[in-house]
Amino acid sequence: MGAERAKLFGAARRVVIKLGTSTVTGENGELSTSRVEPIVVDRMADIEMALRVTIDSKVQYPAACNAAESLLVHESIAGRFLPLLVSELKKAGVEVRGCAKTVALLGASRIVPATERDWSTEYSDLILSVKIVASAQEAIARIHRYGSGHTEAIVTEDGDTAKRFMDEIDAAGVYHNVSTRFADGFRYGLGAELGVSTNKLHARGPVGLEGLTSYKYKLYGNGHIVAEYANGSRHFKHRPLTGAGRQ
């Protein structure tokens, strides 16, 4: 997808949101119109799964509000994972902007040196920023600094790390081994949507107890990607949940 298509999508999205509400702003409005979804590839990640999840999150529809914009990779797996990932991303036409360690690992001919601005930029295009981190805790800290509270994902086979990530990340959607592209009202079985709210207090007018409640969606998967649902090889099976309570 080129920059022109991304611009058209962004313009259309702004029109829809303007029609649906008069209170939208980038940070304080009812709906979020900008975000930076990071994916964390942990030291205990399954490499094949991490490739599937990252590529789907970035490439399947890069102009969407749930497409990944940044990748945080544990230093102990970076040497095995990043060469494979970048090769696949290049085939898909993705420009990779990396930290100094990423450039040193893969070479300046393949990686564009990232600037500070890249860590908080919503590209809405085939561009991905990559940062090598020393630990899962450093990745969580960077998400707290640069993330927008939209959707964040981790790929790991370490249950303790996954639990810490799912509990500590303050976002509307927190995913384990799942593509960020699942952050969508239709895919959740909620019907059509106009946007994704990153607010917690959303009520307007007189507020009762229900108006003070909010949601955090946790998705657990096994390398699930949206492309398989988009091409019809898999199908959603929405059904009412019985006995499910809020946490």
Side-chain angles (χ1 to χ4, degrees), residues 41-193:
V41 175
D42 181 50
R43 65 185 181 86
M44 295 294 291
D46 177 284
I47 288 182
E48 184 61 32
M49 183 186 297
L51 289 170
R52 282 169 50 85
V53 169
T54 304
I55 293 169
D56 188 77
S57 297
K58 177 72 264 184
V59 175
Q60 202 269 333
Y61 190 24
C65 71
N66 53 19
E69 304 287 20
S70 184
L71 180 69
L72 306 173
V73 183
H74 195 286
E75 61 185 9
S76 67
I77 202 173
R80 291 176 290 147
F81 173 68
L82 283 177
L84 298 173
L85 175 68
V86 171
S87 293
E88 294 301 314
L89 291 176
K90 291 295 184 181
K91 293 177 185 177
V94 177
E95 177 184 297
V96 179
R97 300 181 183 181
C99 66
K101 290 183 178 179
T102 303
V103 174
L105 175 65
L106 297 170
S109 62
R110 304 179 71 191
I111 306 298
V112 176
T115 66
E116 178 64 24
R117 185 177 181 181
D118 283 304
W119 309 126
S120 56
T121 295
E122 176 187 3
Y123 303 115
S124 296
D125 203 351
L126 289 172
I127 304 172
L128 182 70
S129 63
V130 178
K131 169 75 174 177
I132 295 176
V133 296
S135 65
Q137 199 58 47
E138 181 185 348
I140 290 173
R142 288 188 67 85
I143 291 173
H144 287 162
R145 178 178 180 183
Y146 296 105
S148 67
H150 188 293
T151 306
E152 334 290 3
I154 188 170
V155 182
T156 184
E157 298 300 299
D158 186 317
D160 291 337
T161 298
K163 185 178 187 307
R164 183 165 73 250
F165 185 88
M166 300 294 282
D167 290 345
E168 292 186 15
I169 293 298
D170 184 12
V174 189
Y175 294 178
H176 176 208
N177 292 346
V178 177
S179 167
T180 61
R181 288 282 290 121
F182 280 102
D184 176 85
F186 169 75
R187 291 170 186 142
Y188 282 2
L190 304 177
E193 70 171 30

Side-chain angles (χ1 to χ4, degrees), residues 185-208:
F186 169 75
R187 291 170 186 142
Y188 282 2
L190 304 177
E193 70 171 30
L194 294 178
V196 176
S197 174
T198 57
N199 283 351
K200 294 180 180 178
L201 296 178
H202 49 78
R204 192 176 188 185
V207 179

Side-chain angles (χ1 to χ4, degrees), residues 13 17 24-27 29-37 65 122 148-150 194-199:
R13 184 173 60 184
I17 292 174
V24 172
T25 61
E27 295 180 356
E30 290 292 329
L31 301 176
S32 171
T33 59
S34 64
R35 78 289 173 269
V36 179
E37 270 90 27
C65 71
E122 176 187 3
S148 67
H150 188 293
L194 294 178
V196 176
S197 174
T198 57
N199 283 351

